[in-house]
């Protein structure tokens, strides 16, 4: 796999049972790249370690005054230098390729998992953790995957050097063969402590980052209550904790690095002392002593990769655990899309609550518990928060419809929709039926003032559609963000549109116009709105009241206001005392000559703005 061939046509199915299994799976899926890096690494390291033998031969040839052997040794050194350059070049190329392709494979898997789970992902895993995994963690995992091949090449080279020294000069080769494994493995007892300190540092850094992002996001509120100094002190303490943790972690890694310098130096001293003694006794030549000395000195270069692989694993292990946790998430109810590929039609039915939404109608659902309403919206979108009966669309379970077709059929807009950064044109460029134009959707969502605000904020954009929206729409008010999100949902024009409190941040006059535009633009399409707003409820074809997770009443808004006290309490925010008072002082049914509620007479003060709007219209 080459970098220019990315993305993968099929990144595969990861082994997400644990972090180490995920690392093993990533390395196994790049076996070809690992083998190439291993071969180039062997060429590079072997050529580096062959130089001492050439130097020893050259010294001995100079001592013996052999010009022929000296010239031959010079040719060997030139060959080794060429092999070092070629091996290093292609080793770096193969290592970087392995790093980038492993990170890209993991990013592609995470993106597919996010698209597969949809809004259920952030309900089960913090959004910050998903961002951390898909940015910093994938680089750490790619680093470990590519470092494995270089470490393997370095380890094999060290073994080859030890065997070569045993054959070349057994008296000193034994010392080197015993000392090199001790030097390589001496730091292993310190690695668990270093890894633990690194984990603590990352944990504290993550908390400080979360605190900083929360402070920035709520800066306007903090200034309003005068809490900047309070949160600044909290962040200062958090940053100091990160600094202390980083110093402790760096201190441990510095000890490991120092040992990697000290121990090879001690081994080199032992080799020199032993070699001088053997040279005095005439058991080895000067050239052999220089060869062994140079070999021990040069072998420190591949030994550095032992520390690097330890560091790479210590940093990638928690990253792999986080990535495996995200990749192991599955939809709680999924039948792999065994139904026909055509999008079904008909009524929408939720067996858990008994809710039935007629096809092509405008239905509002009132639920006193916001959490239950959110779970209902998830179920209607095919993302159940707990295992159970699947929602039926035209007698076909949503879980048995292929995921892409299910999302074409049903679209759920969350209570807190997210606006991606980019231009307004890009925001509205979503998979759609093509029936609803962007201009019509913006008009129905009452976005005229939003367009004006975007045009004024983007002086370089002549067309408001080319005005840029900042990250998550932070430059817009809550009501403006809601209306743009509603326009985006209307442009998609799904067969079934589920809206969870789409106008909670909008004033009553705008809300009434949105209700009319929504009803007009969605004519003939199934629309479900979870709300307690009287303005939206009054314009619905049918209102369904849920109490304790089950359908308690259905009908028109004005009928339910007069006949269902629990419904009236949710819509008008009545307390229990007010309900008892209204029940004790309730007047008898009005006589025939009085206006009947079914004729459209207002029943509550909450409906008076609606009547004023209708009269002004």
């Amino acid at each position: 796999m080459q970098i220019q061939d990315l993305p993968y046509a099929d990144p595969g199915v990861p082994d997400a049972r644990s972090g180490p299994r995920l690392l093993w799976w990533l390395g196994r899926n790049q076996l070809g790249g690992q083998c190439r890096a291993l071969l180039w690494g062997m060429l590079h390291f072997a050529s580096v370690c062959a130089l001492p033998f050439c130097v020893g031969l050259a010294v001995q040839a100079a001592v013996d005054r052999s010009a022929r052997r000296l010239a031959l040794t010079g040719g060997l050194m030139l060959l080794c230098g060429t092999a070092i350059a070629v091996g290093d070049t292609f080793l770096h190329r193969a290592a970087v390729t392995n790093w980038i392709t492993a990170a890209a494979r993991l990013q592609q898997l995470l993106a597919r998992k996010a698209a597969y789970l949809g809004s259920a992902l952030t309900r089960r895993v913090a959004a910050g953790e998903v961002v951390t995994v898909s940015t910093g963690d994938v680089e750490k995992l790619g680093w470990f995957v590519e470092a494995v091949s270089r470490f393997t090449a370095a380890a094999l080279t060290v073994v080859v050097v030890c065997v070569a020294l045993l054959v070349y000069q057994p008296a000193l080769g034994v010392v080197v063969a015993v000392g090199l494994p001790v030097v390589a493995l001496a730091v292993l007892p310190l690695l668990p402590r270093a890894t633990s300190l690194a984990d603590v540092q990352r944990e504290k850094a993550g908390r400080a980052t979360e605190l900083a992002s929360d402070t920035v996001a709520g800066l306007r509120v903090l200034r309003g209550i005068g809490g900047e100094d309070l949160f600044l002190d909290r962040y200062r303490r958090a940053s100091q904790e990160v600094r202390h943790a980083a110093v402790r972690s760096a201190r441990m890694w510095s000890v490991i690095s120092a040992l990697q310098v000290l121990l090879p130096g001690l081994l080199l001293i032992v080799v020199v002392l032993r070699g001088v003694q053997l040279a005095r006794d005439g058991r080895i030549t000067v050239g052999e002593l220089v060869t062994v000395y140079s070999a021990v000195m040069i072998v420190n270069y591949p030994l550095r990769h032992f520390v690097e692989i330890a560091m790479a694993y210590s940093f990638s292990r928690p990253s792999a655990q986080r990535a495996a946790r995200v990749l192991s998430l599955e939809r709680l109810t999924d039948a792999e899309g065994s139904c026909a590929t055509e999008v079904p039609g008909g009524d929408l039915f939720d067996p858990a609550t008994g809710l039935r939404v007629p096809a092509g109608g405008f239905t509002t659902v009132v639920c006193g518990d916001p959490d239950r309403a959110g779970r209902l919206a998830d179920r209607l979108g095919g993302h159940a928060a707990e295992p159970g009966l699947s929602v039926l669309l035209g007698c076909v379970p949503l879980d048995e419809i292929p995921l892409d077709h299910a999302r074409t059929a049903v679209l759920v807009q969350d209570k807190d929709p997210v606006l991606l950064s980019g231009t307004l044109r890009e925001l509205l460029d979503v998979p759609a039926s093509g029936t609803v134009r962007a201009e019509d959707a913006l008009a129905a969502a009452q976005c005229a003032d939003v367009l004006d605000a975007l045009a004024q904020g983007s002086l370089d954009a002549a067309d408001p559609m080319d005005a840029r929206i900042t990250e998550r729409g932070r430059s817009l008010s809550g009501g403006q963000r809601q209306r743009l999100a509603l326009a985006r949902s209307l442009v998609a024009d799904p067969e079934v549109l589920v809206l969870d409190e789409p106008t909670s941040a909008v004033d009553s006059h705008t809300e009434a116009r949105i209700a009319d535009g929504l009803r007009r633009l969605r004519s003939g399409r199934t629309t479900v709105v979870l709300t307690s707003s009287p303005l939206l409820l009054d314009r619905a074809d049918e209102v369904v009241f849920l109490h304790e997770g089950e359908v308690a009443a259905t009908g028109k808004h004005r009928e339910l206001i007069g006949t269902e006290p629990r419904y009236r309490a949710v819509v008008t925010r009545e307390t229990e005392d007010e309900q008892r008072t209204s029940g004790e002082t309730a007047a008898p049914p009005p006589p025939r000559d009085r206006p009947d509620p079914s004729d459209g007479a207002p029943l509550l003060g909450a409906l008076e703005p609606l009547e004023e709007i209708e009269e002004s219209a």
Side-chain angles (χ1 to χ4, degrees), residues 83-104:
I84 290 173
V86 173
D88 189 24
T89 300
F90 286 95
L91 171 61
H92 180 73
R93 180 185 179 91
V96 171
T97 300
N98 288 337
W99 188 337
I100 294 178
T101 51

Side-chain angles (χ1 to χ4, degrees), residues 36-42 44-45 85-98 146 149-150 153 301 305:
R36 285 192 294 272
L38 176 61
L39 293 176
W40 290 118
M42 286 292 297
H44 174 66
F45 292 130
V86 173
D88 189 24
T89 300
F90 286 95
L91 171 61
H92 180 73
R93 180 185 179 91
V96 171
T97 300
N98 288 337
E146 71 86 11
S149 55
R150 289 190 291 111
Y301 172 56
H305 292 77

Side-chain angles (χ1 to χ4, degrees), residues 390-475:
S390 172
V391 171
L392 305 178
L393 179 59
C395 300
V396 177
L398 279 180
D399 293 333
E400 296 182 7
I401 305 174
L403 191 59
D404 53 346
H405 294 284
R407 289 177 175 170
T408 302
V410 182
L411 172 64
V412 178
Q413 178 178 305
D414 292 337
K415 183 180 302 182
D416 298 315
V418 175
L419 301 183
L420 303 180
S421 59
T423 64
L424 180 57
R425 194 183 308 277
E426 293 171 343
L427 176 69
L428 300 180
D429 184 16
V430 295
S433 64
T435 304
V436 179
R437 299 185 307 163
E439 294 79 4
D440 297 334
L442 290 170
Q446 299 299 309
C447 294
D449 63 318
V450 184
L451 297 179
D452 294 338
L454 290 175
Q456 293 176 3
S458 302
L459 299 179
D460 56 341
D463 188 350
M465 296 295 291
D466 296 326
R468 294 198 63 82
I469 300 174
T470 57
E471 180 187 2
R472 301 180 68 91
R474 296 191 186 277
S475 60

